[in-house]
Amino acid sequence: MTSDVLQEKTLSRILVIDDNPAIHADFRKVLENKEPDNALSDLSAELFGVPVSSPEIKPRFRLDAAQQGEEGLEKLKQALSDGSPFSLAFVDMRMPPGWDGLETIEHLWQVDPQLHVVICTAYADYSWSDVVERLGANDRWLVLKKPFDNAEVCQMASALVEKRRLSEKLRAHLGELEDRLDEGTIALKEREQRLRNILDTAPDGIITFDADGNIESVNNAACELFGFEVKEVLGNKVQALLHDQDACAAANVRDAFKLTESRKTASIELDSTRVNRSVFPAQWTVGHFRSSERQFFIAIVRDLTEHRQLQCNLAQAQKLESVGQLAAGIAHEINTPTQYVGDNVRFLRDSFEDLTLALDKLQSLHAACESTNYLPDLVKDIRKVLEDSDIEFILSEAPDTFSQTLDGINRVASIVQAMKEFSHPGDEEKKLVDIHAALTTSITVSRNEWKYVADVQTDFAADMPRIPCLIGKLNQVFLNLIVNAAHAIAEANGKQSKQKGTITIRTSYGDGWAQIDFTDTGTGIPAEIQDRIFDPFFTTKGVGKGTGQGLAIARSVVVDKHGGTIEVFTAQGRGTTFRIRLPVESADRRTRGMSV
């Protein structure tokens, strides 16, 4: 490619649309500057005898001409298609029989909205307001009156072409800035998304709020912990999540979480409230920071329910272990005297039977001697002894006395055995056990709680199989339900101490499940607290009578450790039934790796 061709391709392109070919020639003469100045050459020849050799003036623009608006539009489209668009168009106003100048410009701008246009006219075809109304008040068009001045044309073309060049350069620069801004925005969004992912995978609830307590963000764990949706909580007060009276009564957020100027972070345990109004203990670790002159707080919230339950379970296990050790020692001490007392009573019973036989013979001998008046003095002494000892009463009452004494000793032995079985800590491995024997043991151990207020009735299913379970933990559940039933009946009895209620323990088996019902004739459970009875630390009993852990532990043992269910059916004033269902697998799966 020659330098001339290369130069031509780099020239700014101008489109001239005019129905007069002479106008095209004038524009080429003014803007392309390809011909030397003939007047200057003639003057040089006249003065010096030789014509001046004018250097060739390099063209500044590359012109294209069109006779009508439609032709100009096609050339504009072709230029855009070739990647060499026009920088400027000179458009005549009158071009019969086709489009006039304004219509032509409107079509040109539909194809290239950035094209600069000079309207060339010698007549007042349209008023200024008409032109403005058609083309708009903008900087993309100018008016050039015919006949035009060459310098004005050159100046106008140079200025508008440079303006187009600078505009395109500015747009390119703005495009680069937008691209960089888009890249930065994408990177920022990616970092924000990574941060959001980190927050949403955190196991603890994370909540941010301002100095007035207005919640601004929460993570997934916080939504799950409190039971709300994100859109439900944003903008609400963080104090609405608190149940602790001291925190709720605080004058501001800092006081609620015990933050001071010198204490930037605080960790405090507060009773908190879920959407369903259930209360749970939580640890709030709160810090604060400033951003754009605003103060913000960030709280990490951890549910302490399981932690406290584990503490209570540990304390209960330690207590049971101590009780078990004590019970084992007491049982050993009681067993020894009980055993020899029982042996001695049996000896006395057997001996008395022998004495009874001998006494019968003696009475027969006494009767024979008395009838024959043989040894009358001895006979008289024997009669007196028999009458004074009330031998007939002893003979009639002694067998029952021995029987009752042995029953009592057997009762003591069974109670001691029940204490040993109940208080034994048990293994952490499930074993196949007789659930009816476990229930009987619990009934025996708890007898002192119910014997004065209720009668216990049992209805045990004959087809109940042995159940895989942690019997030590289930014994705790059974004992707790029986004691609760006794307390409910005592409350229902009130001051009528002679009136007794009934505790019924019924079992059934079917569809692979063992079912155990504990039914009492007590006061029932009020409707407003029925959904809270399994919550840890919730109790309606007075101070010193309940910790609020019994039913929470029962639910944990039955549901979490055995995969079963525990339900409550109650009617206030008529009584309550707690229903436990435990899964019973097939023998093949049940006994595999399991002790019996």
Side-chain angles (χ1 to χ4, degrees), residues 57-248:
I57 301 175
K58 298 296 183 181
R60 290 177 294 170
F61 306 103
R62 175 184 167 193
L63 269 65
D64 282 85
Q67 299 279 335
Q68 292 290 319
E70 294 89 339
E71 181 186 358
L73 178 63
E74 294 302 320
K75 289 199 172 187
L76 178 67
K77 292 179 178 179
Q78 186 61 45
L80 290 173
S81 176
D82 295 340
S84 178
F86 291 108
S87 300
L88 173 65
F90 287 91
V91 181
D92 187 22
M93 184 60 75
R94 290 186 176 184
M95 294 180 291
W99 300 334
D100 64 9
L102 291 185
E103 190 174 2
T104 299
I105 294 170
E106 289 172 341
H107 283 87
L108 295 177
W109 279 353
Q110 289 178 359
V111 176
D112 184 1
Q114 304 302 322
L115 179 67
H116 286 76
V117 176
V118 176
I119 302 173
C120 304
T121 180
Y123 307 96
D125 299 88
Y126 294 95
S127 67
W128 177 258
S129 59
D130 291 337
V131 176
V132 172
E133 183 179 357
R134 292 279 297 275
L135 301 183
N138 58 65
D139 63 348
R140 289 180 296 158
W141 60 273
L142 293 174
V143 176
L144 179 64
K145 290 291 186 177
K146 294 180 181 180
F148 48 76
D149 181 80
N150 291 353
E152 184 180 5
V153 172
C154 289
Q155 183 182 25
M156 189 175 291
S158 298
L160 293 179
V161 167
E162 181 65 11
K163 181 182 176 184
R164 173 69 181 260
R165 186 186 70 82
L166 293 177
S167 297
E168 291 177 348
K169 184 176 181 181
L170 178 60
R171 282 197 302 273
H173 182 61
L174 290 176
E176 293 176 1
L177 292 178
E178 289 178 357
D179 291 341
R180 291 170 61 184
L181 181 61
D182 289 343
E183 293 174 358
T185 302
I186 293 173
L188 182 61
K189 288 182 178 179
E190 290 177 350
R191 287 194 295 269
E192 182 180 353
Q193 186 60 45
R194 285 197 297 269
L195 178 60
R196 169 53 59 182
N197 291 339
I198 292 173
L199 293 178
D200 284 340
T201 55
D204 295 328
I206 300 177
I207 304 172
T208 62
F209 48 93
D210 62 18
D212 295 325
N214 299 311
I215 297 175
E216 298 204 346
S217 71
V218 293
N219 68 340
N220 287 342
C223 294
E224 295 176 1
L225 179 60
F226 289 95
F228 51 61
E229 298 290 337
V230 174
K231 60 183 179 181
E232 297 174 345
V233 72
L234 295 184
N236 290 340
K237 297 290 185 182
V238 70
Q239 289 90 333
L241 305 179
L242 304 179
H243 185 265
D244 189 277
Q245 295 301 319
D246 292 338
C248 292

